Amino acid sequence: VKPGEWMTYTVYFENMTNATAAAQEVYVTNPLSEWLDWSTFEMGEVSFGNQIDLGLSGKSSGTTEKRMDGTNWIVRTELSIEPDTTATDSNRQQKMCAKWYLRIVDPSTSTGWPVDPVAGFLPPNNPETHCGEGHLTYRIKLRDDAPAGLVITNSATIVFDYNEPITTDPAWWNTVATLVDVNCGDGLTLDDLVVGMPFGELSDPEPRAGYVFAGWYTGKNGR
């Protein structure tokens, strides 16, 4: 990825097929690297079962609600960006964390919770219908001053109701590209070359009186 480039992340979660009840609450926390520009955070979609809620699209905080198909229940999603209190290194004060809280709401009860204690918005998953699956999507820009070769990692933690936290695979990573600008003379400049990566087709330079362009050297030794 290049400095200043948008990076899109999706956090997937699933109520397993062997679960004994539907999930009523889902907590998702996603620490953000200090090399991400938090001011550019933009929420995408919230998905649960086969439904999508775009009420928070483009926002960095707020609450959205969407009625579940075929029911009177509502799925409420709250989003906030807060200081990362779990960070333990010297940069703790410079780190932030994206947090989501999804819950089932029954408007007909005084507490907002369904009368049935095992009713929820993510039932035990059926692999054929994907009824127990959900995801959250957002995008955020890499800081303009991110150094070349820096590795940006990302991992989220998910909690279903009162169960133990589940951490997504921390092996997900991106590397900040090493960029160079090459001036070929005669007003021709190749921008955003990535060291070690192919550039593609090279265009011919502007014609110059008294000269004929024969072609580009393509060998590693310049020939």
Side-chain angles (χ1 to χ4, degrees):
V1 293
K2 301 174 184 178
E5 184 176 349
W6 284 105
M7 300 176 69
T8 300
Y9 291 106
T10 303
V11 182
Y12 295 95
F13 46 89
E14 172 191 2
N15 195 11
M16 300 299 288
T17 56
N18 59 355
T20 58
Q24 293 189 327
E25 298 176 284
V26 175
Y27 302 84
V28 180
T29 56
N30 186 187
L32 303 174
S33 168
E34 64 267 35
W35 290 104
L36 297 175
D37 183 353
W38 308 317
S39 68
T40 65
F41 184 102
E42 291 186 3
M43 185 63 192
E45 64 184 28
V46 178
S47 172
F48 52 90
N50 296 309
Q51 294 183 244
I52 292 177
D53 186 353
L54 295 174
L56 289 172
S57 180
K59 300 179 180 179
S60 59
S61 64
T63 301
T64 182
E65 294 184 345
K66 187 172 181 64
R67 187 174 300 278
M68 292 183 63
D69 290 342
T71 75
N72 291 323
W73 296 339
I74 293 170
V75 177
R76 178 183 298 157
T77 303
E78 300 174 8
L79 163 66
S80 62
I81 307 293
E82 304 174 10
D84 183 7
T85 57
T86 65
T88 57
D89 59 20
S90 59
N91 292 327
R92 176 175 179 176
Q93 299 302 320
Q94 303 175 22
K95 292 189 174 182
M96 302 293 281
C97 184
K99 297 183 178 182
W100 296 264
Y101 172 51
L102 291 77
R103 61 157 287 186
I104 189 77
V105 177
D106 185 348
S108 67
T109 66
S110 59
T111 63
W113 295 104
V115 175
D116 185 349
V118 297
F121 66 95
L122 277 184
N125 193 33
N126 181 332
E128 295 185 1
T129 64
H130 308 285
C131 60
E133 300 174 16
H135 66 259
L136 305 163
T137 300
Y138 69 90
R139 70 173 189 167
I140 189 169
K141 281 188 176 181
L142 188 62
R143 277 172 39 180
D144 292 332
D145 60 346
L150 177 73
V151 176
I152 304 292
T153 59
N154 201 345
S155 182
T157 298
I158 305 160
V159 177
F160 286 85
D161 298 317
Y162 300 101
N163 294 295
E164 291 297 315
I166 301 169
T167 301
T168 62
D169 187 353
W172 184 270
W173 53 269
N174 297 93
T175 301
V176 180
T178 300
L179 305 177
V180 295
D181 293 335
V182 178
N183 191 329
C184 304
D186 295 326
L188 180 62
T189 300
L190 304 179
D191 297 322
D192 291 346
L193 294 183
V194 180
V195 174
M197 297 294 290
F199 176 77
E201 295 295 325
L202 297 174
S203 59
D204 292 349
E206 292 294 328
R208 183 178 177 184
Y211 292 85
V212 176
F213 179 70
W216 293 101
Y217 289 123
T218 59
K220 291 184 178 180
N221 62 355
R223 299 182 180 178

